[in-house]
């Protein structure tokens, strides 16, 4: 049912470390993490508050630079890239989904989905076509003209997922995407993520809920800035069957 994973690593990190200077002291938020994630994987990152999950996601998302170590994204060493190239790489290679949706309140669902294409310089007609295609993919074809406030939380998160997909990124990074949603809506979202993953999209998702991590195919555990667990899930739960 699932396409076989492409053996080329999409993400390769080696001894990745990030220290935050805090007054006179230095907080070692990440203390040397090494791992690889292949195309087609669905990875959940778990760990207590303060264990370094957000720091790691910010590095994966090229939103921050490591203090030490190496990060290769899609074969390119991103550690030494200048800010313009990093921004371009983010726009072309990555899609982001956040706990709080992060939609523009005065823009319609369609306009929100078009945003990454606007930044990429895509022309209006093509932007519209691709935005509507992705809204359809997440089940919101009939809500394209709605403002975020005219949508439920689950629908807003679907718009955010369509926005993350619109640039056909190699990887989607989702930070607590179900954190603001009720149980049933969370299940619907996880069913959507599983369907996207079955279609070949690589997903890395941070969650503090075991029930949510159980839908992934691999779980990484962080503690005190270190990777302390890396476990494949042989038979992940299927969210669509629980709805
Ligand atoms: P998590 O996402 O698992 O809750 P974080 O990556 O946010 O963990 O934080 C890891 C550690 O780094 C924590 O001790 C946190 O207090 C510290 N930290 C995070 N961001 C900063 C910052 N900007 N300045 C100083 N310390 C930070």
């Amino acid at each position: 049912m699932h396409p076989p994973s492409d053996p080329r690593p999409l993400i390769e990190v080696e001894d990745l470390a990030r220290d935050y200077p805090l007054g006179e002291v230095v907080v070692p938020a990440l203390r040397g993490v090494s791992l690889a994630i292949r195309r087609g994987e669905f990875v959940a990152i778990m760990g207590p508050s303060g264990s370094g999950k957000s720091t790691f996601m910010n590095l994966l998302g090229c939103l921050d630079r490591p203090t030490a170590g190496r990060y290769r994204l899609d074969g390119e060493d991103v550690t030494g890239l200048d800010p313009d190239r990093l921004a371009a790489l983010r726009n072309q290679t990555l899609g982001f989904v956040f706990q709080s949706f992060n939609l523009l309140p005065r823009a319609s669902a369609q306009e929100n989905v078009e945003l990454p294409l606007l930044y990429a310089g895509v022309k209006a007609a093509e932007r519209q076509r691709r935005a509507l295609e992705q809204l359809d993919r997440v089940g919101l074809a009939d809500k394209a003209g709605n403002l975020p406030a005219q949508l439920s939380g689950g629908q807003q998160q679907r718009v955010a997922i369509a926005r993350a997909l619109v640039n056909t990124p190699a990887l989607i990074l989702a930070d607590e995407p179900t954190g603001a949603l009720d149980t049933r809506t969370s299940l619907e979202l996880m069913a959507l993520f599983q369907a996207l993953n079955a279609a070949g999209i690589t997903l890395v998702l941070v969650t503090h809920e075991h029930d949510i991590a159980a839908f992934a195919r691999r779980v990484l555990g962080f503690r005190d800035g270190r990777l302390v667990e890396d476990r494949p899930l042989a038979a992940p739960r299927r969210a669509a069957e629980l709805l």
Side-chain angles (χ1 to χ4, degrees):
M1 184 209 86
H2 202 287
S5 283
D6 188 322
R8 284 176 303 160
L10 181 59
I11 287 172
E12 277 179 285
V13 301
E14 254 179 61
D15 292 322
L16 203 67
R18 177 67 164 100
D19 296 332
Y20 290 113
L22 193 66
E24 300 283 287
V25 297
V26 165
V27 181
L30 214 58
R31 304 173 189 238
V33 169
S34 301
L35 59 87
I37 296 174
R38 294 183 315 279
R39 286 171 188 282
E41 286 204 69
F42 184 176
V43 178
I45 297 181
M46 298 201 74
S49 180
S51 58
K53 304 182 299 294
S54 304
T55 301
F56 185 63
M57 286 290 269
N58 286 341
L59 291 171
L60 290 190
C62 303
L63 299 163
D64 187 22
R65 286 165 183 279
T67 310
R70 214 174 59 140
Y71 173 24
R72 292 173 75 83
L73 173 60
D74 206 8
E76 184 165 4
D77 192 338
V78 299
T79 322
L81 292 183
D82 65 65
D84 285 351
R85 179 73 195 116
L86 272 183
L89 194 70
R90 264 202 306 277
N91 189 273
Q92 291 155 12
T93 314
L94 303 171
F96 295 91
V97 177
F98 305 93
Q99 177 173 351
S100 53
F101 321 139
N102 289 15
L103 301 177
L104 296 182
R106 290 187 184 79
S108 68
Q110 181 190 325
E111 288 163 346
N112 269 286
V113 176
E114 282 185 29
L115 267 190
L117 300 176
L118 193 68
Y119 296 140
V122 176
K123 294 215 162 57
E126 173 74 1
R127 286 204 304 271
Q128 176 170 350
R129 188 187 68 73
R130 285 168 62 180
L132 291 174
E133 185 180 73
Q134 295 306 325
L135 281 170
D136 187 35
R137 190 176 190 186
V138 301
L140 289 179
D142 57 337
K143 306 285 185 202
N146 286 42
L147 296 176
Q150 298 167 326
L151 298 169
S152 70
Q155 289 171 334
Q156 290 184 55
Q157 195 59 302
R158 282 169 188 271
V159 172
I161 292 169
R163 181 184 56 190
L165 288 167
V166 79
N167 260 352
T168 54
L171 171 69
I172 290 194
L173 297 169
D175 197 353
E176 298 267 8
T178 61
L181 302 175
D182 61 57
T183 306
R184 181 172 175 90
T185 311
S186 297
L187 265 184
E188 290 170 1
L189 249 275
M190 295 317 293
L192 174 59
F193 278 131
Q194 286 189 318
L196 294 172
N197 179 241
I201 292 182
T202 313
L203 294 167
V204 177
L205 174 152
V206 167
T207 182
H208 62 267
E209 294 176 71
H210 287 279
D211 285 355
I212 294 294
F215 294 118
R217 299 201 293 150
R218 176 181 176 192
V219 176
L220 302 177
F222 279 71
R223 187 172 291 269
D224 297 329
R226 291 194 174 89
L227 182 68
V228 295
E229 183 184 20
D230 186 350
R231 181 165 53 92
L233 295 184
R237 296 166 70 204
R238 291 188 41 78
E241 288 167 9
L242 301 170
L243 283 166

